[in-house]
């Protein structure tokens, strides 16, 4: 392994590979939907189709050390969608301290008929847990947030990370593993690429605990992955940074098993040197396209 590589997490390695690919192969959109706060169209440089895969049982997770990641807020957002089954921005702010969805408020302090509302309306999470428990060898266990009927009603941003597929694998070592893949139609990579992957790995851990399984393989499939025109300097900065050698781990509260009992503080990320990351690879600012 090359000298620089062994000092990076697998997430760091994938991040540099994806940024390099976008910069070298990407195409510019011509008439984008998003705009910056000043009204300027938010153009992106993007590529189509790719994947990142991690063996959680071997300690591989998507966390990066090239910049700080707001792990607690990310976990809170995940629970808001799949546990609270909510679209209420007041719940997201008051319970989890997260306000980054406020830009998609449809005028009633909700994001409309998407995300958590879709999970609640179609009973997606409860059906998944029941299905995996009753038919672990089934190949039809999925959560699909892309519900066309819901989009007929007022809503904010359509789901980006929209599909998860789940499989129980009876390992040759005698262990039953829970594997999961996430399909994402669009990824604003520098701002949320790592966050989305970490969120869904946490979801995989929580579902595995609920079912008394061991987290197995996690794979992230992206359809279109992009860097905004006002993020190019940050992209080059990340490529110049060195990672920090560490092996982050997700540790769940041993006293809890039921998916709906977990709170943010029951999910700990250990062996992840946040203060060192902040000092060596400080946070970057990213202007958001809305």
């Amino acid at each position: 392994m090359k000298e620089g590589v062994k000092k990076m997490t697998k997430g760091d390695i994938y991040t540099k590979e994806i940024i390099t690919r976008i910069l070298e192969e990407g195409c510019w959109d011509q008439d984008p939907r998003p705009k910056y706060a000043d009204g300027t169209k938010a153009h992106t440089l993007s590529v189509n189709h790719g994947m990142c895969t991690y063996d959680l049982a071997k300690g591989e997770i998507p966390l990066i050390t090239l910049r700080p990641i707001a792990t607690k807020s990310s976990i809170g957002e995940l629970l808001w969608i799949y546990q609270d089954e909510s679209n209420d921005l007041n719940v997201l702010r008051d319970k989890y301290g997260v306000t980054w969805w406020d830009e998609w408020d449809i005028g009633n302090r909700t994001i409309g008929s998407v995300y958590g509302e879709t999970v609640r309306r179609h009973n997606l999470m409860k059906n998944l847990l029941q299905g995996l428990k009753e038919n672990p060898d089934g190949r039809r266990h999925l959560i699909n947030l892309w519900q066309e009927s819901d989009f007929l009603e007022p809503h904010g941003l359509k789901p980006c990370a929209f599909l998860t597929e789940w499989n129980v694998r009876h390992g040759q070592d005698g262990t039953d593993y829970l594997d999961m893949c996430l399909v994402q139609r669009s990824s604003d990579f520098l701002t949320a690429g790592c966050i989305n992957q970490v969120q869904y790995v946490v979801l995989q851990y929580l579902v595995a605990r609920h079912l008394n399984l061991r987290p197995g393989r996690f794979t992230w499939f992206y359809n279109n992955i992009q860097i905004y025109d006002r993020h190019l300097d940050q992209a080059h900065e990340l490529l110049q940074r060195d990672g920090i050698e560490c092996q982050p781990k997700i540790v769940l509260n041993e006293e809890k098993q039921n998916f709906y009992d977990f709170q943010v503080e029951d999910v700990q990320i250990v062996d992840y040197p946040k203060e060192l990351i902040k000092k060596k690879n400080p946070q970057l600012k990213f202007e958001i396209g809305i």
Side-chain angles (χ1 to χ4, degrees):
M1 185 178 289
K2 294 180 180 179
E3 176 66 20
V5 171
K6 71 179 182 181
K7 294 183 178 180
M8 295 192 290
T9 65
K10 194 170 186 180
D12 287 329
I13 295 169
Y14 275 132
T15 294
K16 288 198 171 190
E17 289 176 351
I18 290 171
I19 292 173
T20 299
R21 182 187 170 206
I22 294 173
L23 294 177
E24 292 181 351
E25 304 175 16
C27 65
W28 287 103
D29 51 19
Q30 296 181 2
D31 187 23
R33 175 196 58 78
K35 293 181 174 60
Y36 295 115
D38 62 8
T40 304
K41 285 191 174 183
H43 287 273
T44 60
L45 186 67
S46 70
V47 295
N48 295 332
H49 302 174
M51 61 174 280
C52 303
T53 190
Y54 305 84
D55 191 338
L56 305 181
K58 294 180 179 178
E60 300 174 353
I61 61 174
L63 270 169
I64 66 173
T65 66
L66 299 175
R67 73 174 182 90
I69 298 297
T71 52
K72 285 190 175 181
S73 297
S74 303
I75 295 167
E77 180 191 38
L78 176 85
L79 295 179
W80 176 64
I81 295 170
Y82 289 99
Q83 189 188 80
D84 299 318
E85 301 180 356
S86 177
N87 63 356
D88 189 329
L89 293 169
N90 290 332
V91 172
L92 184 61
R93 178 195 62 203
D94 297 342
K95 189 173 182 179
Y96 302 109
V98 176
T99 59
W100 58 50
W101 275 99
D102 284 2
E103 298 290 347
W104 286 276
D105 183 353
I106 65 171
N108 60 357
R109 290 298 294 162
T110 81
I111 57 172
S113 56
V114 286
Y115 286 95
E117 170 61 16
T118 294
V119 174
R120 183 200 66 78
R121 184 175 295 186
H122 301 281
N123 209 29
L124 297 178
M125 194 68 221
K126 294 181 179 65
N127 286 343
L128 175 74
L129 296 174
Q130 182 178 353
L132 285 166
K133 182 178 181 179
E134 295 179 354
N135 183 23
D137 292 328
R139 300 183 180 93
R140 301 177 178 179
H141 303 303
L142 56 88
I143 288 181
N144 186 4
L145 299 182
W146 197 270
Q147 300 290 334
E148 294 283 352
S149 59
D150 292 353
F151 301 156
L152 298 176
E153 302 174 27
H155 60 277
L157 183 67
K158 286 182 169 63
C160 295
F162 75 96
L163 178 68
T164 54
E165 299 181 72
W166 308 72
N167 296 89
V168 175
R169 169 169 48 91
H170 308 296
Q172 294 183 1
D173 60 357
T175 301
D176 289 338
Y177 294 93
L178 180 65
D179 296 334
M180 187 262 277
C181 65
L182 166 66
V183 181
Q184 188 154 348
R185 66 170 179 85
S186 174
S187 174
D188 175 0
F189 184 60
L190 297 194
T191 62
C194 175
I195 287 173
N196 288 149
Q197 293 179 77
V198 171
Q199 287 176 314
Y200 280 85
V201 166
V202 169
L203 181 63
Q204 185 173 347
Y205 266 76
L206 295 176
V207 173
R209 171 65 66 82
H210 184 91
L211 299 166
N212 199 29
L213 300 170
R214 186 175 180 188
R217 183 167 292 278
F218 169 77
T219 301
W220 179 50
F221 295 102
Y222 56 83
N223 176 46
N224 179 268
I225 193 164
Q226 66 271 169
I227 295 175
Y228 278 83
D229 54 0
R230 296 186 181 180
H231 298 172
L232 290 178
D233 288 344
Q234 294 91 323
H236 288 286
E237 168 67 21
L238 288 171
L239 288 180
Q240 294 302 313
R241 290 182 173 184
D242 292 323
I244 296 171
E245 191 169 6
C246 61
Q247 289 187 305
K249 300 177 184 65
I250 295 172
V251 178
L252 303 182
N253 184 339
E254 290 293 337
E255 296 181 356
K256 294 188 177 180
Q257 180 169 3
N258 189 296
F259 173 79
Y260 294 97
D261 290 340
F262 282 92
Q263 300 177 22
V264 173
E265 56 267 26
D266 294 315
V267 182
Q268 299 294 321
I269 297 177
V270 301
D271 299 330
Y272 184 60
K274 290 184 179 180
E275 294 306 315
L276 179 58
I277 294 170
K278 290 178 183 178
K279 182 178 180 180
K280 182 178 178 181
N281 293 325
Q283 190 58 275
L284 301 168
K285 293 184 178 180
F286 299 98
E287 194 171 351
I288 304 300
I290 304 300

